[in-house]
Amino acid sequence: MQIQIEAFDLPGHSCATAPGFPGYTGIHVAVQHRDRTKDLLDPQPGGATSATWTLECAATTTPSGVDLKGPYIQGRPEDRFIYLSWGTMDEAGAFTPFRRAKLMIDAIDPATAEAATRSGLLLARLRLTDAKGQPLCAAVRPPLIEWIAGQTG
């Protein structure tokens, strides 16, 4: 099965200093690997129009619903999530993280999860700029993210 994350409205290459936010430049966002926090999937510039990541995962039906596992899926059963890691990237390509968004898989409607298991594709759509104009962070659940069963091919 695949999970496709479709992000839009990224915050920009730079975000100014604000209360509780020191401000950054050279902003990028990527999906963080489960066991290797420095292993990032396809870092995208914060000034991009949109960003898309495709993750391979395994879906298992359990008595409590669908359980998703894969190299980019974090957490224990019934508390799974995907980290989008925000950081700065210097000219040499070194990524220095400063915050994360936690895409909560437990917030997926059970019927959507089951339909995605049958179709082979789960879509996640979200905007990556928060209400303050900064990179989206913390736990992300609907209505901030839309989970949709898709169709492959």
Side-chain angles (χ1 to χ4, degrees):
M1 183 170 141
Q2 292 183 328
I3 298 173
Q4 185 170 320
I5 301 167
E6 298 176 351
F8 57 93
D9 192 21
L10 281 75
H13 177 74
S14 299
C15 287
T17 302
F21 186 78
Y24 296 94
T25 190
I27 294 173
H28 282 69
V29 61
V31 177
Q32 179 183 305
H33 194 281
R34 178 184 65 240
D35 297 324
R36 300 183 303 267
T37 59
K38 293 183 180 184
D39 185 359
L40 303 171
L41 178 64
D42 199 16
Q44 297 293 308
T49 304
S50 63
T52 302
W53 298 273
T54 301
L55 318 175
E56 295 293 331
C57 70
T60 306
T61 302
T62 69
S64 59
V66 175
D67 185 27
L68 301 177
K69 297 179 187 176
Y72 295 97
I73 298 175
Q74 316 269 345
R76 301 172 195 255
E78 299 180 31
D79 189 31
R80 303 255 193 236
F81 59 92
I82 299 167
Y83 268 138
L84 291 183
S85 185
W86 290 99
T88 59
M89 189 172 290
D90 65 20
E91 291 180 11
F95 185 88
T96 304
F98 63 82
R99 69 171 26 168
R100 296 185 290 195
K102 195 174 184 179
L103 310 184
M104 302 305 298
I105 292 172
D106 68 345
I108 301 170
D109 175 73
T112 300
E114 290 171 17
T117 300
R118 287 191 302 275
S119 73
L121 180 63
L122 177 64
L123 299 171
R125 293 191 179 133
L126 72 158
R127 65 187 298 250
L128 291 183
T129 301
D130 70 12
K132 297 177 183 176
Q134 299 168 356
L136 181 69
C137 67
V140 180
R141 293 183 168 86
L144 298 177
I145 187 168
E146 180 181 19
W147 293 99
I148 305 162
Q151 294 185 351
T152 58

